[in-house]
Amino acid sequence: NISGVDSTGEFGDPENTVLTYNVGANSTITNVTYSFNLTAFSPSWLSEIGLAFTDSDVTTGVLLNPGFGVDSSGTGTYEGAIDLVLEDLSFSVGADGILRLEFYEDFDDGAVFPDGIWNAGTITFEIDGYVPPGDPGTPGTPGEVPEPASALLMAAGLGMLGYGRRRRAAKAA
């Protein structure tokens, strides 16, 4: 829920609202669904209000301007879904697992503060968790080789089962 969040300065401005979410180390953001109601205060335009969702280092991510093409102030409602994989925009967060959202303005006219507001809305991310190569829980990848102590313990248990069966078979005969 992003209701009441301000858009203030250009991307990276320290006055911008930044939200962070731990989505799991090295997870991949694959899809985004959104529904927003925005207001841009004159002289700002709806097309200038933006949302960046990136990794915590801001080295990879996506910029979203829901009112793109609406070059006027006022209020607008926007909704949609973006398959980031299909659009070749999917990205992975870093080892810290942080997904960073920054609400910003494309052009800081300096005339009003804030330039716009996210009146109401939600944004939902589809996230694929990171699975290390060779993880035994991953279909099609080999399982781990048990350590020697575990293998010996398993062999001893199987030996005891065999001994018990043999003993019962000899007793029944």
Side-chain angles (χ1 to χ4, degrees):
N1 182 355
I2 50 122
S3 301
V5 173
D6 292 337
S7 282
T8 304
E10 293 177 343
F11 183 73
D13 188 304
E15 296 293 321
N16 290 342
T17 300
V18 174
L19 305 175
T20 59
Y21 299 93
N22 189 334
V23 298
N26 302 309
S27 293
T28 301
I29 311 304
T30 60
N31 197 327
V32 60
T33 304
Y34 61 91
S35 177
F36 304 128
N37 179 272
L38 314 172
T39 298
F41 304 114
S42 184
S44 292
W45 294 346
L46 285 165
S47 62
E48 297 172 351
I49 296 178
L51 167 64
F53 45 100
T54 67
D55 63 352
S56 63
D57 293 332
V58 193
T59 56
T60 185
V62 175
L63 305 178
L64 174 65
N65 290 76
F68 181 77
V70 183
D71 294 339
S72 63
S73 57
T75 300
T77 300
Y78 309 95
E79 58 184 39
I82 306 168
D83 184 333
L84 300 175
V85 174
L86 185 64
E87 299 294 330
D88 199 28
L89 295 172
S90 64
F91 66 95
S92 295
V93 297
D96 62 2
I98 300 298
L99 175 63
R100 180 182 183 277
L101 280 63
E102 181 176 343
F103 299 84
Y104 68 94
E105 274 283 304
D106 281 337
F107 179 75
D108 188 6
D109 51 42
V112 293
F113 184 82
D115 291 300
I117 189 166
W118 301 72
N119 298 312
T122 58
I123 185 166
T124 304
F125 296 96
E126 189 172 308
I127 301 162
D128 285 346
Y130 174 74
V131 179
D135 186 305
T138 306
T141 60
E144 292 182 20
V145 176
E147 56 187 273
S150 298
L152 286 174
L153 193 57
M154 189 182 312
L158 289 173
M160 292 300 289
L161 284 173
Y163 173 74
R165 281 191 184 160
R166 179 183 257 185
R167 192 168 170 207
R168 272 188 241 128
K171 199 176 198 183

